[in-house]
Amino acid sequence: MSVNKEIKRVTTNSLQEMKSRGEKVSMLTAYDYSMATIVDHAGTDVILVGDSASNVMAGHETTLPITLDQMIYHASSVVRAAKRALVVVDLPFGSYQGNSKEALNSAIRIMKESGAHAVKIEGGIEIAESVSRILTAGIPVMGHLGLTPQSIYKFGTYTVRAREEAEAHKLRTDAIKLQELGCFGIVLEKIPAQLAKEVTGSLHIPTIGIGAGQYCDGQVLVIHDMLGINEGFKPRFLRQYANLYEVMNNGIKNYINDVKSGSFPNEKEQY
Ligand code: KIV
């Protein structure tokens, strides 16, 4: 299907309409101006300034260390680039778990200081009060269920979630709750495809899957993973669309060789 570039700006309403007419939503992460420009020009519907920046931009093992100030820095760079995409920003670990007032203040800072269009927050019923308070302030909220990386030390592993009925039941209930509260969409991360299908069918808001199979209303991937910048990260759910590690590595090696041999710069490349 070709990308509809006629849309001026993708909004939370556009995503709803896409679900209604059966058009899948494309979402990718970006954390800086240059990458976000490419992602936006290609026609991606939603750009997620994910807290995965903690991993791929800062080199941390988990998403926990990234701060609200750092997320705002990444988000404002992406917002300057995104002319068409809806820009959604993760509320980072420690910026909302304390209480709903803290959650609201963090969401307001993101919206005010970065110019983003919406926030994403991990969790279900336990964060209902925070979600509700943020929404009351007029800030669109996207939910995130299944594998929620900010809880990695509680889970102890990054394996598939909600295989057991008790966890699957909670996820179904959480999804309905987030919809009732007014979330405009929900990311479903690393859950069985059949469960994602069931949840997607039970909601009128779109589900965006990552490692959650083909029945979600849209898909999201971390840009560094899908472009093959992260050498060696190849989980089953990931389709790699390029091998930028190799392309960049070769380019850099050629540059080094040219500098060492004295062939760069040549006469035409100087003043
Ligand atoms: O931070 C992130 O990149 C995310 C996606 C994996 C959904 O939350």
Side-chain angles (χ1 to χ4, degrees):
M1 182 187 273
S2 64
V3 173
N4 184 356
K5 291 187 179 169
E6 296 304 302
I7 301 174
K8 255 190 139 75
R9 166 76 73 182
V10 177
T11 64
T12 56
N13 288 339
S14 330
L15 302 187
Q16 184 67 68
E17 287 158 15
M18 288 166 83
K19 171 156 183 157
S20 304
R21 62 173 181 266
E23 180 183 341
K24 299 267 188 182
V25 177
S26 60
M27 174 158 143
L28 282 171
T29 67
Y31 319 97
D32 67 89
Y33 178 83
S34 303
M35 189 70 93
T37 299
I38 299 170
V39 173
D40 189 63
H41 283 177
T44 313
D45 298 312
V46 184
I47 299 182
L48 172 65
V49 185
D51 58 0
S52 49
S54 180
N55 309 104
V56 296
M57 299 301 287
H60 293 296
E61 222 169 89
T62 72
T63 57
L64 276 69
I66 199 160
T67 66
L68 184 57
D69 284 338
Q70 288 165 342
M71 287 301 296
I72 290 169
Y73 168 76
H74 287 298
S76 57
S77 309
V78 168
V79 166
R80 282 191 285 277
K83 305 292 178 239
R84 176 184 177 273
L86 179 82
V87 179
V88 181
V89 182
D90 266 335
L91 277 174
F93 178 72
S95 73
Y96 63 93
Q97 288 91 346
N99 56 59
S100 62
K101 187 173 175 210
E102 183 186 36
L104 175 61
N105 286 341
S106 301
I108 287 176
R109 278 203 60 204
I110 287 176
M111 302 297 282
K112 216 177 172 69
E113 296 176 39
S114 77
H117 312 126
V119 298
K120 177 165 82 57
I121 182 165
E122 294 184 6
I125 188 79
E126 50 294 320
I127 54 150
E129 192 184 315
S130 297
V131 170
S132 174
R133 203 155 172 181
I134 297 169
L135 283 161
T136 308
I139 301 172
V141 178
M142 177 173 250
H144 185 154
L145 298 172
L147 176 65
T148 46
Q150 292 178 15
S151 305
I152 185 57
Y153 291 119
K154 186 172 123 196
F155 297 147
T157 154
Y158 284 103
T159 54
V160 178
R161 304 302 311 174
R163 280 195 195 278
E164 307 299 327
E165 181 45 34
E167 197 178 337
H169 175 73
K170 178 170 174 2
L171 193 142
R172 285 185 205 103
T173 318
D174 282 344
I176 297 285
K177 182 72 186 169
L178 290 174
Q179 172 173 273
E180 280 170 4
L181 288 170
C183 287
F184 70 88
I186 303 177
V187 166
L188 298 176
E189 181 164 356
K190 257 193 156 179
I191 61 169
Q194 284 305 318
L195 176 61
K197 181 182 185 184
E198 205 187 312
V199 171
T200 300
S202 74
L203 301 175
H204 59 76
I205 58 171
T207 59
I208 312 292
I210 173 163
Q214 59 188 302
Y215 305 109
C216 295
D217 297 307
Q219 297 293 326
V220 56
L221 286 174
V222 170
I223 191 84
H224 290 66
D225 301 342
M226 61 88 72
L227 292 180
I229 298 174
N230 285 339
E231 212 207 9
F233 183 68
K234 292 188 174 54
R236 173 173 167 164
F237 70 80
L238 176 66
R239 187 177 295 179
Q240 201 178 300
Y241 287 85
N243 189 342
L244 286 200
Y245 181 92
E246 206 173 293
V247 171
M248 293 168 86
N249 194 258
N250 285 339
I252 292 164
K253 279 184 176 157
N254 288 337
Y255 164 76
I256 294 169
N257 286 340
D258 289 353
V259 170
K260 298 277 183 197
S261 69
S263 72
F264 173 78
N266 61 26
E267 277 178 8
K268 288 183 190 154
E269 292 161 332
Q270 61 193 16
Y271 300 98

